[in-house]
Amino acid sequence: MSTDKSTILPYTSLFIKLLKGPVEYLEKSTWDQLLQYQTELTRFLQQLGLVLVLEKEDGYAFFEQVRLDEEDNVAGWVRRVQLGYEESILLVLLRDMMAEFEIGEATSRELIKKRREIKEYAELFFKENASRVKFIRDLDRLIDKVEELDFLEKVENHDLSDEQKFRIKKIIKARVNNELLENFKQQLTIHAAGRI
């Protein structure tokens, strides 16, 4: 049975890509297609219980699911990932790095950090384990996990693991908004004051 290609929506491949995860402006042809079909795609998504979140300034887009009832049930189109406590903390710390980067005199649109720099930043906030070596190893594992979750992207390979550079993706701003970031900072201040 053959399919009439004229019945296939022109943004079908874009829809499928967005179902798999966020799209960034760095994927030029996909991003251009997204901007071209934004209105049609938005209308189509409404029928499926999905919303297109498009952050043009930061250069990312993703789907959100519409609540179907009072119990927060959704259609189940988009895979939800539960984060552990330490992964959540690392995401908040990366988001804080992003906030500092955006306030500063950035000469680049993208925030690039070495693994070593991420670990040094995180060490200020994470409680050290009994063994410092274990702590550092756990931090490496957390960084790898956050990369798997697609919030970090390796930008160049390096023989030394600590010199490996990562791009901190702006999609992190959707996961950790300003209010959550400020609440976390207040908790850290309270925690630090309690240790004095």
Side-chain angles (χ1 to χ4, degrees):
M1 186 173 127
S2 64
T3 304
D4 180 6
K5 286 193 168 60
S6 66
T7 63
I8 297 174
L9 297 169
Y11 46 82
T12 297
S13 62
L14 174 63
F15 170 72
I16 292 167
K17 193 166 181 96
L18 279 160
L19 273 179
K20 293 177 181 175
V23 167
E24 294 182 284
Y25 78 98
L26 295 169
E27 302 167 64
K28 180 127 178 56
S29 63
T30 304
W31 188 254
D32 290 346
Q33 188 182 24
L34 175 61
L35 297 178
Q36 179 184 353
Y37 291 111
Q38 178 184 351
T39 306
E40 296 93 324
L41 181 59
T42 300
R43 261 191 251 117
F44 174 70
L45 293 173
Q46 286 172 338
Q47 299 169 55
L48 301 175
L50 291 169
V51 174
L52 174 66
V53 178
L54 176 59
E55 295 291 339
K56 290 181 184 176
E57 189 175 314
D58 285 327
Y60 65 84
F62 62 96
F63 289 159
E64 264 186 4
Q65 301 182 89
V66 176
R67 279 180 36 195
L68 299 177
D69 54 34
E70 296 302 313
E71 281 92 50
D72 285 342
N73 288 319
V74 292
W77 283 102
V78 182
R79 183 176 63 103
R80 295 183 119 174
V81 179
Q82 285 296 104
L83 296 174
Y85 174 74
E86 289 183 324
E87 289 141 358
S88 298
I89 298 288
L90 184 56
L91 275 188
V92 170
L93 293 172
L94 291 170
R95 175 65 177 91
D96 194 43
M97 291 175 95
M98 177 74 68
E100 287 181 14
F101 171 74
E102 291 179 341
I103 290 169
E105 298 295 316
T107 56
S108 165
R109 184 171 178 179
E110 298 299 329
L111 173 58
I112 310 289
K113 289 287 181 185
K114 293 179 180 177
R115 180 183 290 265
R116 171 179 47 81
E117 293 171 313
I118 295 171
K119 284 169 33 176
E120 287 167 359
Y121 197 81
E123 283 177 44
L124 300 172
F125 302 100
F126 276 105
K127 283 191 266 184
E128 287 195 31
N129 296 4
S131 157
R132 183 161 179 79
V133 173
K134 183 181 182 319
F135 171 72
I136 299 297
R137 189 175 62 233
D138 285 351
L139 206 41
D140 278 323
R141 181 185 53 77
L142 287 172
I143 290 169
D144 292 341
K145 178 67 176 172
V146 170
E147 182 193 3
E148 281 173 36
L149 293 169
D150 216 20
F151 292 105
L152 290 173
E153 177 186 40
K154 284 182 183 160
V155 290
E156 64 180 48
N157 287 319
H158 202 285
D159 292 339
L160 295 172
S161 173
D162 275 357
E163 296 302 308
Q164 173 67 59
K165 289 183 181 176
F166 292 93
R167 177 173 68 90
I168 300 173
K169 295 184 170 190
K170 292 192 184 233
I171 188 72
I172 205 166
K173 293 166 76 171
R175 187 71 186 225
V176 184
N177 63 26
N178 285 332
E179 183 182 346
L180 188 63
L181 187 58
E182 286 311 310
N183 288 344
F184 176 74
K185 285 179 166 180
Q186 287 172 6
Q187 291 301 319
L188 281 179
T189 305
I190 293 165
H191 178 70
R195 287 191 342 208
I196 295 171

Coordinates of all heavy atoms in Angstrom, one line a residue, residues 7 11 23 27 39 67 150 164 177:
T7 N -0.3 14.1 1.1 CA -1.1 14.1 2.3 C -0.3 14.2 3.6 O -0.8 14.4 4.7 CB -2.0 12.8 2.4 OG1 -1.1 11.7 2.5 CG2 -2.9 12.7 1.3
Y11 N 5.6 19.6 7.9 CA 6.4 19.7 9.2 C 6.5 18.4 9.9 O 6.8 18.4 11.1 CB 5.9 20.8 10.0 CG 4.4 20.9 10.2 CD1 3.8 20.1 11.2 CD2 3.6 21.7 9.4 CE1 2.4 20.1 11.3 CE2 2.3 21.7 9.6 CZ 1.7 20.9 10.5 OH 0.3 20.9 10.7
V23 N 14.8 21.2 20.4 CA 15.6 21.6 19.2 C 16.2 22.9 19.4 O 15.6 23.8 20.1 CB 14.6 21.7 18.0 CG1 15.2 22.4 16.8 CG2 14.1 20.3 17.6
E27 N 20.9 23.8 15.0 CA 20.4 22.9 14.0 C 19.7 23.7 13.0 O 18.5 23.8 12.9 CB 19.5 21.8 14.6 CG 20.1 21.0 15.8 CD 19.1 20.2 16.5 OE1 18.4 19.3 15.9 OE2 18.9 20.5 17.7
T39 N 3.2 28.6 13.0 CA 1.7 28.8 13.2 C 1.0 27.5 12.9 O 0.1 27.1 13.7 CB 1.2 29.9 12.2 OG1 2.0 31.1 12.5 CG2 -0.2 30.2 12.4
R67 N -2.5 19.8 30.5 CA -3.2 19.1 31.5 C -4.6 18.7 30.9 O -5.3 19.6 30.5 CB -3.4 19.9 32.8 CG -2.2 19.9 33.7 CD -2.4 20.7 34.9 NE -3.7 20.6 35.4 CZ -4.2 21.5 36.3 NH1 -3.5 22.4 36.8 NH2 -5.4 21.3 36.8
D150 N 21.0 15.7 28.2 CA 21.1 16.7 27.1 C 21.0 18.1 27.6 O 20.6 19.0 26.8 CB 20.0 16.4 26.1 CG 20.4 16.7 24.7 OD1 21.6 16.7 24.4 OD2 19.6 16.9 23.8
Q164 N 38.2 18.6 29.3 CA 37.1 18.5 28.3 C 36.1 19.7 28.4 O 35.7 20.0 29.5 CB 36.3 17.2 28.6 CG 35.0 17.0 27.8 CD 35.3 16.8 26.3 OE1 36.0 15.8 26.0 NE2 34.8 17.6 25.5
N177 N 13.8 27.7 36.3 CA 13.5 29.1 36.1 C 14.1 30.0 37.1 O 14.7 29.5 38.1 CB 11.9 29.3 36.0 CG 11.2 28.9 37.3 OD1 11.8 29.0 38.3 ND2 10.0 28.5 37.1

